[in-house]
Amino acid sequence: AQSVTQLGSHVSVSEGALVLLRCNYSSSVPPYLFWYVQYPNQGLQLLLKYTTGATLVKGINGFEAEFKKSETSFHLTKPSAHMSDAAEYFCAVGKGKGNKLVFGAGTILRVKS
Amino acid sequence: GAVVSQHPSRVICKSGTSVKIECRSLDFQATTMFWYRQFPKQSLMLMATSNEGSKATYEQGVEKDKFLINHASLTLSTLTVTSAHPEDSSFYICSVPPGTDNSPLHFGNGTRLTVT
């Protein structure tokens, strides 16, 4: 069975500061891992994904994440936060065939000016 | 442009009525679509898998008779919330897998359902 834990339901950073959103997963099979962003009353937009290959994955809007098997982690980072990054972020692990996803509880990112 | 179109974006209905939500795949044919539900300040929970030409597969704890799913064509799936109650108020999101198992899902923009 798969599960996802996102540490910190709310994260607050200053504009220009490093963004770090934590995600740990549990999976009985090699995982497919995703980060999505959600703006209020909207669907989810894919930021990046890890399936196989390079463990450092680069996504849109300057975000990246590193798959660390030994730590069962897939933390999301961005070197310099922008006001437009304020949103809710979801980490997800692929659950079997057909792209069923198990989502973490989400982390709301607040960016202070 | 949008890959998945979900309609309506918002709906308010009275208790006891039924509400239909449509999810359309715009760019490709989809034999499978997923319906998620998101409670306020919570994560997305998979409700069911919509299968074109066959019955939907529901997750444990989801009432089949309450949430009717019809995958009428390769580009359209509908979710009907029957005899809605205030506790059914939620954000419903559909998603479409574009192809292979490890491909990321495309999500609709969601439907905010409020039952009064």
Side-chain angles (χ1 to χ4, degrees), chain A residues 70-113:
Chain A
S70 61
E71 299 178 9
T72 60
S73 68
F74 191 57
H75 302 329
L76 181 71
T77 60
K78 181 174 180 177
S80 177
H82 191 272
M83 297 297 290
S84 61
D85 295 327
E88 188 162 17
Y89 293 80
F90 292 94
C91 181
V93 61
K95 175 184 173 185
K97 285 190 174 182
N99 311 95
K100 286 186 178 182
L101 296 184
V102 175
F103 285 87
T107 298
I108 295 174
L109 175 65
R110 177 177 169 235
V111 181
K112 299 176 291 185
S113 58

Side-chain angles (χ1 to χ4, degrees), chain A residues 52-74:
Chain A
T52 59
T55 56
L56 181 62
V57 181
K58 294 186 183 298
I60 62 171
N61 301 339
F63 285 95
E64 62 182 36
E66 186 171 10
F67 169 61
K68 291 187 176 181
K69 184 178 179 180
S70 61
E71 299 178 9
T72 60
S73 68
F74 191 57

